[in-house]
Amino acid sequence: MSAQQLRDEMVRQLIEMGALRSSHAVAAFRKLPRHLATPEEDLATAYLAEHAVITKTDSDGVQLSSVSAPRIQAMQIEQADIGPGMRVLEIGSGGVNAAYLAEIVGKDGLVVTADIDPEVTARAEKFLPETGYDDRVRIVTGDGEHGVPEHAPYDRIIVTVQAADIPPAWIDQLVDGGRLVIPLRMRGMTRTVAFVRDGERLVSDGFELCGFVPMQGAGEHRVRLVVLHDVEEEEVGLRLDGHPEPDTEALRAVLRTPPVEVWSGVTLAGDESKEHLDLWLTTVFDNLPLLIAKPAARACGLVASISPLGIPTLVEGGSFAYRTVRPTEDPDRFELGVIGHGSSAQEMADRMVEQIQVWDQEHRSHHAHIEVYPADTPDGRLPAGRVINRRHTRVAITWP
Ligand SMILES: C[S@@+](CC[C@H](N)C(=O)[O-])C[C@H]1O[C@@H](n2cnc3c(N)ncnc32)[C@H](O)[C@@H]1O
């Protein structure tokens, strides 16, 4: 297949998935020869809708840079709602996404693309002239934590790296009413959130689960893995993101003891996402890190469920309980339940199942709102809900 045929097929899939919707974005994805940015990959791979090309990994195996998958780029561009003539700042560069943005903003717009890594901006400096977009793109090497004040204000800011916080520059450099799209990590799970600036606060207008490489520089803030079972192929652990230090020895011991199971009667369609349920559980429980396990850990019965994004797990003392699913008589539906280990397992699993039922009855049809306030905002000015305190901001998750 030719590059154009591969592009057309990629666009067809992105439209079918619901990732591409607007005519400007469809035209940009149909036009850009993105394979020129990844000469090390074969042509067809460059156009796989779900495939990110990893371009840099650190000595611990943590991925530091990539050309994001077309689906993720399309999703963020649609969330940002970009139009001709706009000024857009991209944090985290490489060239491909900046070229899509440049095509959409047109000759009257401006794209500023910043990356902390000079090897990444060097890739953009090669790709953008090659594809003819260098006239309206400024490439900046530096820590995006500070934004790029010399070209501000921006109508849109798109962050393409996982962030645990929102530094003041990203709000100050955005016009009031402008949109900030950011893969924001909240208690271990990352969602790309579309925010609208309303004075000094940001108000969400939709979000989707996603995976991104972690931020480096002044805003670096990594999650921590506490290992509960360290046989390499069957590793099981808890991913902590500001959660209290667990009693690791006690949890390691109970992982191997027979679990309790409690079922909720609440079912999901096979292709239905659990992301809104998980956000509800994060809202109501104080200490809910994420269970991370390798496929072999499930195969040998150590855990009942696995997910690369992690599974919400209630931890109290030497006991823990996590959500799971089991098949029902309807082959297309699964029942939600909870597996618990430890002396408080039954009571904790009961409480978690009760909250699965509350989500089903009261919140399933209305998604959460996420609002971001400056760190010095007093409690009384925050909406009622779960508050995640970071260095620069207080992130409030509320439910209608
Ligand atoms: C997923 S890649 C960006 C993908 C790119 N937008 C594309 O066209 O597909 C994330 C990038 O963020 C960069 N990055 C990490 N921390 C950063 C920071 N503090 N400021 C600017 N860039 C940063 C990394 O070097 C990496 O290249």
Side-chain angles (χ1 to χ4, degrees):
M1 267 208 244
S2 70
Q4 188 60 58
Q5 285 169 321
L6 289 165
R7 265 197 299 284
D8 289 345
E9 174 55 19
M10 175 190 78
V11 168
R12 190 194 65 71
Q13 287 179 20
L14 293 173
I15 293 172
E16 198 175 275
M17 291 168 177
L20 267 185
R21 293 184 298 275
S22 65
S23 56
H24 292 308
V26 168
F29 276 70
R30 225 169 234 145
K31 184 170 171 190
L32 184 74
R34 61 180 290 136
H35 64 278
L36 299 179
T38 50
E40 61 278 24
E41 288 284 339
D42 69 80
L43 187 63
T45 309
Y47 290 100
L48 294 175
E50 292 281 10
H51 184 72
V53 179
I54 308 303
T55 51
K56 198 163 189 175
T57 305
D58 76 7
S59 52
D60 297 330
V62 176
Q63 294 170 351
L64 292 182
S65 190
S66 65
V67 175
S68 298
R71 185 182 68 81
I72 298 291
Q73 292 171 329
M75 182 175 91
Q76 283 202 304
I77 286 173
E78 294 291 9
Q79 284 184 304
D81 189 21
I82 300 163
M86 284 188 179
R87 300 168 69 84
V88 183
L89 171 63
E90 179 192 39
I91 306 284
S93 189
V96 174
N97 202 47
Y100 287 141
L101 298 173
E103 175 65 26
I104 297 170
V105 301
K107 288 210 177 297
D108 297 331
L110 176 73
V111 174
V112 179
T113 179
D115 204 289
I116 197 165
D117 184 338
E119 284 177 28
V120 177
T121 43
R123 293 175 77 101
E125 270 154 13
K126 181 167 177 294
F127 179 73
L128 289 162
E130 221 173 359
T131 45
Y133 292 106
D134 47 326
D135 60 337
R136 65 199 91 149
V137 182
R138 305 285 172 272
I139 303 166
V140 178
T141 303
D143 190 340
E145 173 90 355
H146 314 294
V148 182
E150 44 288 25
H151 300 292
Y154 303 101
D155 301 297
R156 303 287 186 260
I157 298 180
I158 301 190
V159 181
T160 65
V161 59
Q162 180 208 92
D165 197 357
I166 300 181
W170 298 352
I171 302 174
D172 296 345
Q173 292 173 27
L174 186 65
V175 300
D176 206 26
R179 293 171 85 84
L180 166 68
V181 174
I182 173 171
L184 185 63
R185 199 181 77 221
M186 293 173 290
R187 303 192 119 210
M189 249 185 218
T190 304
R191 294 171 172 84
T192 173
V193 187
F195 286 109
V196 177
R197 179 176 175 185
D198 174 21
E200 63 172 15
R201 76 176 178 149
L202 298 168
V203 181
S204 70
D205 178 28
F207 51 84
E208 309 212 26
L209 274 184
C210 62
F212 268 92
V213 302
M215 184 135 165
Q216 305 166 50
E220 180 169 316
H221 183 293
R222 299 271 176 98
V223 292
R224 198 163 69 79
L225 187 71
V226 168
V227 177
L228 301 184
H229 178 72
D230 56 11
V231 175
E232 199 186 333
E233 287 305 306
E234 301 168 357
E235 194 177 70
V236 179
L238 287 173
R239 188 194 290 155
L240 307 184
D241 181 11
H243 299 92
E245 191 61 33
D247 182 347
T248 310
E249 281 318 308
L251 299 181
R252 286 174 75 107
V254 299
L255 174 64
R256 290 212 154 266
T257 61
V260 299
E261 289 179 19
V262 183
W263 297 97
S264 66
V266 177
T267 64
L268 287 177
D271 59 355
E272 208 176 328
S273 167
K274 304 175 194 78
E275 66 169 306
H276 297 288
L277 166 65
D278 287 353
L279 193 55
W280 172 251
L281 296 176
T282 290
T283 309
V284 287
F285 290 113
D286 279 334
N287 191 8
L288 196 82
L290 299 171
L291 184 76
I292 307 290
K294 294 206 170 147
R298 182 178 55 184
C300 73
L302 210 50
V303 295
S305 285
I306 56 168
S307 158
L309 299 175
I311 295 189
T313 302
L314 183 60
V315 177
E316 289 176 4
S319 302
F320 67 97
Y322 59 93
R323 67 130 178 82
T324 188
V325 289
R326 68 176 174 185
T328 65
E329 279 173 12
D330 178 346
D332 293 331
R333 296 196 76 80
F334 293 85
E335 183 183 3
L336 289 158
V338 175
I339 305 278
H341 290 265
S343 57
S344 307
Q346 184 70 47
E347 182 274 325
M348 286 163 65
D350 286 342
R351 251 190 298 140
M352 237 175 136
V353 160
E354 199 179 301
Q355 287 303 329
I356 292 173
Q357 291 161 341
V358 169
W359 168 76
D360 179 53
Q361 285 153 23
E362 297 177 20
H363 301 294
R364 196 166 181 161
S365 50
H366 300 97
H367 298 165
H369 290 293
I370 303 168
E371 296 185 17
V372 177
Y373 292 78
D376 59 1
T377 307
D379 286 351
R381 284 190 48 218
L382 295 177
R386 166 65 57 185
V387 176
I388 300 166
N389 292 313
R390 298 295 201 191
R391 182 151 69 98
H392 300 298
T393 57
R394 307 190 74 186
V395 179
I397 304 170
T398 62
W399 293 78

